[in-house]
Amino acid sequence: MPDPGYLLAILGIVFGITFALRALPFAVLGPLRESRLVRSMSGWMPAGVLLILAASTFRSSAADDRLWQTLVAVAVTAAVHVAAGRRTLLSVGAGTLTFVLLVNVV
Amino acid sequence: MFAIACRGEHATLADVTDALPIPVTSRRDQIVAGVRDSFAAGLGMYPIGIAFGLLVVQSGLPWWMAPGLSIAGFAGSLELLVVGLAAAATPLATIALTTFLVNFRHVFYAFSFPLHVVRGRGARVYSMYALIDEAWAVAAATPEKWTGPRLLSMQLAYQAYWVSGGLTGVLVAGLMPGPVEGLEFALCALFVTLTLDAARSRREVPTMLLAALSFAGGLAVAPDDALFVAMLAFVALLAVRHLATVRLRPAGDARA
């Protein structure tokens, strides 16, 4: 088990950086609210960052010779999400269950 | 009243009452409304919290890292990533950089989150601290309907779902004979669904192409730090895109 000091340091780092990223913009970027760069970035960033994170987690999941299992589970996740009214719980649950079954049973 | 127009032709009388811009309801009614606003996302957060708690225990970390991360960070996707990094004894500097990059999107939430309705210093600090993706998305969708108690009770409810989900996962893990392989896929599935939700309109196509290009570039240039390089490249490409848009259409809006 990792050293508790190391884990506490992680908690401190995660807290400090996350809180700063959430709170500082309210104070610092207030005057930039009208900036066109900031406005276009805030409109463009979310979808692209999410796609990069999806690609990155896909890659981790597909490592260790699990490419086809990951592909099938992503397809199930996306199909359930689009077909069943975009209920995150249902789509994530169906995809994860598929992956766990494919990895352990097949 | 813009909320009603946005909901399309299905607006009913209940919707109209719901969306009144100036609430005349009691504090208790506002809190009830905030908790009700939290249900949809909460339905996803509690079970993913269970998967998170399971993952903490199965990765060989002590159980208190589950509530610890959910209170220190309160950022689901990052917490799931950090569990893997901590279990692999990743250097603190890498964890700091990952935290910064994965949570950087929160910087842009300040521009459309109705923090101004929250009164009192402590309450405002909590509301900023608990500015998770779900709270931002729900609040920014109908910015005019919020009051301080309603917004805060929604955010407190989210954190209650998330922390108790993690604790449930920790308890369940103790009852299981061995680790369940493949649970970590929940994180990939979560990002896939969030991407699908964010990319619903054709306007997002250029953004998605730039993001895909960035990730491919990251893989080619630095396979071990693909995420880091991809994020930097994406921000740089968006800046170039902004300059190009401004130059092409000096008086138009920059969204196209």
Side-chain angles (χ1 to χ4, degrees), chain B residues 128-163:
Chain B
M128 290 188 285
Y129 151 82
L131 182 43
I132 58 170
D133 301 305
E134 290 81 359
W136 171 74
V138 173
T142 48
E144 64 287 324
K145 81 174 182 187
W146 298 96
T147 62
R150 185 170 182 172
L151 193 59
L152 279 173
S153 58
M154 181 180 76
Q155 292 183 281
L156 280 163
Y158 284 149
Q159 191 157 26
Y161 304 143
W162 183 242
V163 174

Side-chain angles (χ1 to χ4, degrees), chain A:
Chain A
M1 191 165 285
D3 170 44
Y6 168 72
L7 296 176
L8 288 174
I10 290 179
L11 293 184
I13 287 169
V14 166
F15 173 76
I17 295 176
T18 306
F19 182 70
L21 287 172
R22 284 173 177 163
L24 283 182
F26 284 103
V28 178
L29 297 181
L32 296 180
R33 224 171 248 267
E34 297 305 313
S35 148
R36 290 171 64 185
L37 173 66
V38 167
R39 284 202 344 222
S40 36
M41 291 297 245
S42 60
W44 289 334
M45 271 193 89
V49 168
L50 288 169
L51 180 70
I52 290 173
L53 291 172
S56 176
T57 49
F58 177 93
R59 185 184 173 220
S60 323
S61 174
D64 309 324
D65 275 336
R66 286 173 175 175
L67 178 60
W68 73 268
Q69 292 94 329
T70 308
L71 280 171
V72 172
V74 165
V76 169
T77 306
V80 170
H81 198 59
V82 173
R86 295 178 180 270
R87 280 174 289 175
T88 308
L89 165 65
L90 194 65
S91 342
V92 171
T96 308
L97 184 66
T98 305
F99 188 76
V100 169
L101 287 177
L102 289 177
V103 165
N104 292 287
V105 182
V106 180

Side-chain angles (χ1 to χ4, degrees), chain B residues 21-113:
Chain B
I22 300 157
V24 286
T25 50
S26 72
R27 192 183 166 83
R28 194 179 157 278
D29 290 344
Q30 294 169 33
I31 291 172
V32 169
V35 173
R36 195 173 295 148
D37 290 326
S38 76
F39 285 159
L43 212 59
M45 291 175 73
Y46 182 72
I48 296 171
I50 295 179
F52 166 68
L54 273 171
L55 192 66
V56 166
V57 175
Q58 298 193 347
S59 306
L61 298 177
W63 70 271
W64 51 263
M65 276 300 273
L69 277 171
S70 300
I71 291 166
F74 192 21
S77 46
L78 175 79
E79 291 174 40
L80 285 155
L81 283 173
V82 166
V83 170
L85 296 176
T90 309
L92 292 174
T94 307
I95 293 180
L97 187 62
T98 306
T99 305
F100 182 80
L101 290 172
V102 172
N103 281 342
F104 190 74
R105 63 186 187 280
H106 290 108
V107 161
F108 300 99
Y109 291 174
F111 298 100
S112 40
F113 186 74

Side-chain angles (χ1 to χ4, degrees), chain B residues 187-220:
Chain B
L187 181 58
C188 181
L190 179 65
F191 284 131
V192 168
T193 59
L194 289 174
T195 306
L196 286 173
D197 289 344
R200 292 179 80 165
S201 90
R202 196 169 294 179
R203 230 182 48 209
E204 302 291 347
V205 171
T207 302
M208 304 311 267
L209 288 176
L210 291 178
L213 187 66
S214 307
F215 190 72
L219 278 181

